[in-house]
Amino acid sequence: MLDFIGQALIYVVPFLLVLTLVVTIHELGHFWVARAFGVKVDRFSIGFGKGVLSRTDKHGIEWRLGWIPLGGYVKFSGDIDASSVPDARGLDAMRDEITATRGAGAEKDYFHFKPVWQRALIVAAGPFANFVLAITIFAFLFSLIGVEVRPPRIAGGRRRARPRRRASRPAT
């Protein structure tokens, strides 16, 4: 039984560490592009379920580490449910509520009211960050380990040395 637990730890712990790294980079891609476009973020979470660690920074963003380390998410302001896709009536109600509480023009800070091209870039930033991570890891590994390159050989056998010819001297 202890052998099984030891073997499971050898495989499960590194898997969870690598998955956590990949998820963190993925979610940071969404986060950085959203912040670059001025979208308000409520929560950045790695893992699901009840929060194990949580801290709120000066921008009001809750940085959270969840109990189940199998994913993560960035919760933008105005996300009401898990699908993050309100209907037209919900968008109108959200816009009215934001305008009433924060003033006119405040809806520009919310993901759902950004132009389509900005929303598309925010959504695509997560997978793009994973590509950058993969390229970085492979470049790092190849710079340390390298790739074995064998020079090409024309013939399969050993090359024989030709006997040297003596230069003939003219007769005197």
Side-chain angles (χ1 to χ4, degrees):
M1 181 66 180
L2 289 176
D3 188 42
F4 173 75
I5 293 172
Q7 288 293 329
L9 288 176
I10 288 174
Y11 293 106
V12 171
V13 171
F15 169 77
L16 291 176
L17 290 174
V18 169
L19 183 65
T20 301
L21 172 70
V22 170
V23 167
T24 302
I25 297 299
H26 177 91
E27 297 304 331
L28 281 172
H30 293 304
F31 176 80
W32 286 332
V33 174
R35 294 291 293 162
F37 289 134
V39 175
K40 282 189 58 148
V41 176
D42 290 338
R43 181 182 296 149
F44 181 92
S45 178
I46 301 302
F48 299 113
K50 188 176 180 180
V52 177
L53 295 172
S54 178
R55 175 175 122 19
T56 303
D57 67 7
K58 66 181 178 178
H59 300 290
I61 302 168
E62 178 188 3
W63 297 85
R64 183 177 184 182
L65 184 63
W67 186 252
I68 304 169
L70 297 177
Y73 62 93
V74 177
K75 183 179 183 289
F76 300 116
S77 291
D79 284 350
I80 299 168
D81 58 4
S83 68
S84 296
V85 184
D87 57 359
R89 199 170 16 143
L91 278 175
D92 290 337
M94 186 187 308
R95 179 179 281 121
D96 293 341
E97 180 185 338
I98 292 168
T99 304
T101 58
R102 296 191 58 219
E107 71 273 358
K108 292 185 292 186
D109 294 340
Y110 290 79
F111 176 78
H112 299 294
F113 302 111
K114 290 292 181 180
V116 173
W117 68 272
Q118 288 183 358
R119 288 183 284 168
L121 286 176
I122 291 168
V123 170
F128 181 75
N130 287 126
F131 282 119
V132 171
L133 174 65
I135 291 166
T136 303
I137 289 172
F138 280 113
F140 178 73
L141 288 176
F142 284 143
S143 70
L144 289 180
I145 299 169
V147 178
E148 181 180 345
V149 177
R150 293 184 177 193
R153 293 185 68 176
I154 305 293
R158 236 177 140 200
R159 193 171 175 187
R160 278 194 296 174
R162 289 185 175 172
R164 287 190 177 174
R165 290 176 51 177
R166 286 186 164 187
S168 58
R169 294 186 182 188
T172 54

